Each structure stands twice: as structure tokens, then as C-alpha cells.
Amino acid sequence: MDIIHDETLRPLLAIVKGLRNGVVYGTKIRFPHALVMTFLFRKGSLRAKIETILRATFQHARNLGIFVTLYKTLMLLMEKVQGAPASPHAFLAGLVGGYVVFGEQNPVNTQINLYLLSRITYAAAQILVKRGVLPEPQFPVFPAFGAFVWAWVMWMFEHERETLQPSLQSSMTYLYKDSNVWDSWRNFLWHNK
């Protein structure tokens, strides 16, 4: 019998495949993002840019692979100890994995954590409505959501800019401040500065 078809090994093989999927997904997500952002916004030599792209891709792929491995391992261990899966297992495994893998403050982890925070905040509001904690809105929520997000970020950009992530500051400066500066047609239409 082939090892990958051995049902007794299936839980362990699922952890190995989770590691593989974490590395592949992390690479697929980070490499194109790092490539575009580095070549659009970073200064430096071609070599430095390539190193930046590869470093960010490696870190994202490694962290996601390790997280998936740790999460699935902890889930398996808790199930074995308790005899069955339980609701708190996912939270506890995510808590430990998040602390170990995504607890280091660096640009890649910050971006991943903020991405997830935005998604879970949105989902949490839906859960509160679904469970009856909040009433079902009788008006379109998304326009209010969009208005609040943009009002808050624009106020922060204008009055507390240093509290925003550097990449967000840079993007917003390009859009809202650099557009106030030109001295020729060349840097009005073609080049920013």
C-alpha cells in the first residue's frame, strides 16, 4: 500500500500537506505583491530590489507554512486528548500559532495581521447580527461602512499621519500631497517629481 493512502497516517500527512499548502499559498500571494510594490515604490539597485522581493516572499511562505503546521498539529493533539474536536480548539490553536508565528512585528506579519483584522471585524459584525445580538440593519450598511473607514483614515492622514503604517503613509502622500506639486508638464502628467 502506498503511504499516502494509509488511513492511519492520514492525520499526519494532512499536517505535511498543510505545510506544503502554506508555503505554496504564501509564495503565490507575496511574490507578485512584493514584485509590483518593490518595483513601483522602492529605490535601489536591481539586486537590492530582487533581494527584498525574495526575502518578503520567503518570510510570508515560511510563516504561513509554519502556522498551518503548528495549527493542524495542535488541533490533532487536542482532539486526541479530548477524544473529539471541540469548539475552543480552533481558537486555542490559532492563539498559540498566532503568538509564535505572527507575533513578531515586521512588515510582512503586520500586513497579514492587519488584513485578517479587517476581515474578522467585518465577519464579527455579521455574526452578531446572525445570532441576534445586533438587530438586522434596515438600511444598506456598506455605504456607511465605506464612509466611516474613509472619513477615519483621511482624518488620521491629515492630523495623526505618523500613526499610520509607513506604506499607507507613502501611498496617501503620493495621492493627496504629491498631487499638489509640479513645475512643468513633465512632472504634471508624466513623472510625479
Side-chain angles (χ1 to χ4, degrees), residues 172-187:
M172 294 182 78
T173 297
Y174 179 82
L175 293 168
Y176 305 108
K177 298 302 179 187
D178 291 356
S179 59
N180 295 335
V181 179
W182 67 88
D183 61 10
S184 68
W185 282 105
R186 183 177 179 272
N187 63 14

Side-chain angles (χ1 to χ4, degrees), residues 8-38:
T8 61
L9 296 176
R10 190 166 192 79
L12 296 175
L13 293 173
I15 293 169
V16 173
K17 182 146 188 209
L19 169 64
R20 176 251 181 226
N21 285 5
V23 169
V24 169
Y25 190 78
T27 301
K28 284 181 174 183
I29 293 299
R30 180 58 57 177
F31 181 78
H33 177 267
L35 180 73
V36 169
M37 297 306 284
T38 299

Side-chain angles (χ1 to χ4, degrees), residues 102 108-125 145 149 152 165:
F102 293 107
V108 171
N109 284 354
T110 298
Q111 186 179 33
I112 292 168
N113 288 340
L114 290 175
Y115 170 84
L116 290 176
L117 178 62
S118 68
R119 297 302 197 256
I120 63 174
T121 301
Y122 192 76
F145 170 71
V149 166
W152 191 242
Q165 287 299 112

